[in-house]
Amino acid sequence: MTRLLEASDVVVEINGKRIVDRVTLSVAPGEIVALVGPNGAGKSTLLRTLSGEIKPSAGTIALGGRAIATLPASELAQCRAMLSQHTTVTFPFTVSEIVRMGASPWGKKQDLEPLVARIMASCDIAHLASQIVTRLSGGEQQRVHFARSLLQLETADDRFRPGLLLLDEPTSSLDLKHQLALLAIVKELSATGCAVIVVIHDLNLAAMIAHRLLMLRGGTLFASGSASEVIDDATLREVFGVADAAGIVPNGRPFVLPHSGRIV
């Protein structure tokens, strides 16, 4: 199978503390991979390292067969888009201005307006276009930055498409409707060949969307596989300290019902 992203024995140490410890993974075009695990497991740090934002202390990361550290900024920005968990905007930019910031200055020359309009509509922010982004709710701002990431991928040169989308807790501030809408967009991107790596705490959403789950604990890779292979009572007890919380819905996917579980 062709691999878009390959990481081998990645180690990240920050201020003398090992946050990510010898993690090896690969992601194929069109694959959705969910990084799951408890707080402090190293999920966000690993995602930022895979994006090229953090340089690993050891190990290698290749994107499209090339070492990510060697990619010029102009190419890296077209190969992958990153939605951080927290994005702070202090200047009074409008929603449409923030979204347009995602457009690649190195990518295809095209009329942006139809593309911007389509992406903003898909993220349900078209009606907010002239609003100052800092005056919006947390969930609305999250959808704005998600739209900016989508535009970044859409405007990349064809040589780098469909690319890689990295999402850090993209549904954390969203209501149920917008959680499902965002996940639907992720699935559509996946169908076009875009690879997606998403950090997500909600194991039910992870089971719903991901082709493969990577469960981290203490910076190491504890389990890898489909949702049904990773989410079970034994793993939840070992990693999260919760017992008797896993079940199976009729379609065969696992689900986690916390109020039926016991803290151990």
Side-chain angles (χ1 to χ4, degrees):
M1 181 183 294
T2 302
R3 301 297 182 184
L4 177 65
L5 178 76
E6 293 187 279
S8 179
D9 290 324
V10 171
V11 173
V12 180
E13 294 183 348
I14 299 176
N15 296 326
K17 181 179 179 181
R18 183 164 291 197
I19 309 299
V20 176
D21 190 6
R22 293 172 296 176
V23 170
T24 294
L25 62 89
S26 61
V27 182
E31 187 177 20
I32 302 173
V33 173
L35 301 181
V36 299
N39 294 336
K43 303 181 298 296
S44 293
T45 299
L46 176 59
L47 192 75
R48 291 169 61 196
T49 306
L50 296 176
S51 77
E53 179 184 343
I54 295 177
K55 182 179 179 181
S57 306
T60 60
I61 302 172
L63 183 57
R66 300 170 63 188
I68 197 168
T70 67
L71 291 175
S74 60
E75 292 189 15
L76 185 58
Q78 296 180 81
C79 292
R80 62 94 181 96
M82 170 81 176
L83 178 63
S84 300
Q85 186 175 359
H86 303 291
T87 303
T88 302
V89 176
T90 56
F91 293 98
F93 292 113
T94 66
V95 166
S96 61
E97 288 172 336
I98 291 290
V99 173
R100 284 180 174 81
M101 289 179 186
S104 172
W106 307 284
K108 296 179 295 185
K109 304 303 178 184
Q110 58 185 309
D111 182 5
L112 280 182
E113 294 314 305
L115 186 55
V116 169
R118 174 173 64 79
I119 289 176
M120 290 181 64
S122 71
C123 295
D124 193 23
I125 56 172
H127 63 293
L128 303 173
S130 61
Q131 297 292 312
I132 301 300
V133 72
T134 54
R135 298 174 185 170
L136 302 182
S137 72
E140 289 170 333
Q141 291 189 42
Q142 200 162 23
R143 280 148 46 203
V144 171
H145 292 296
F146 179 58
R148 172 178 51 78
S149 299
L150 296 180
L151 185 65
Q152 182 179 341
L153 291 175
E154 287 273 4
T155 55
D157 188 278
D158 286 338
R159 292 176 298 154
F160 306 107
R161 297 184 68 196
L164 171 68
L165 179 61
L166 302 119
L167 304 170
D168 194 355
E169 289 291 342
T171 60
S172 60
S173 298
L174 302 184
D175 58 39
L176 180 59
K177 171 187 174 181
H178 291 105
Q179 285 182 6
L180 295 176
L182 184 146
L183 296 180
I185 292 172
V186 169
K187 287 183 178 179
E188 291 171 3
L189 281 174
S190 168
T192 69
C194 182
V196 181
I197 306 177
V198 54
V199 171
I200 191 164
H201 273 293
D202 191 320
L203 295 178
N204 295 312
L205 293 181
M208 180 193 307
I209 190 174
H211 298 113
R212 189 157 46 99
L213 275 64
L214 304 181
M215 184 170 285
L216 299 178
R217 184 184 68 167
T220 64
L221 186 58
F222 181 85
S224 173
S226 66
S228 59
E229 292 171 326
V230 171
I231 300 176
D232 57 32
D233 279 332
T235 300
L236 295 181
R237 176 189 288 271
E238 182 72 18
V239 175
F240 291 94
V242 175
D244 306 324
I248 301 293
V249 293
N251 66 10
R253 290 192 183 125
F255 71 90
V256 178
L257 193 59
H259 72 259
S260 71
R262 296 180 291 105
I263 297 175
V264 294

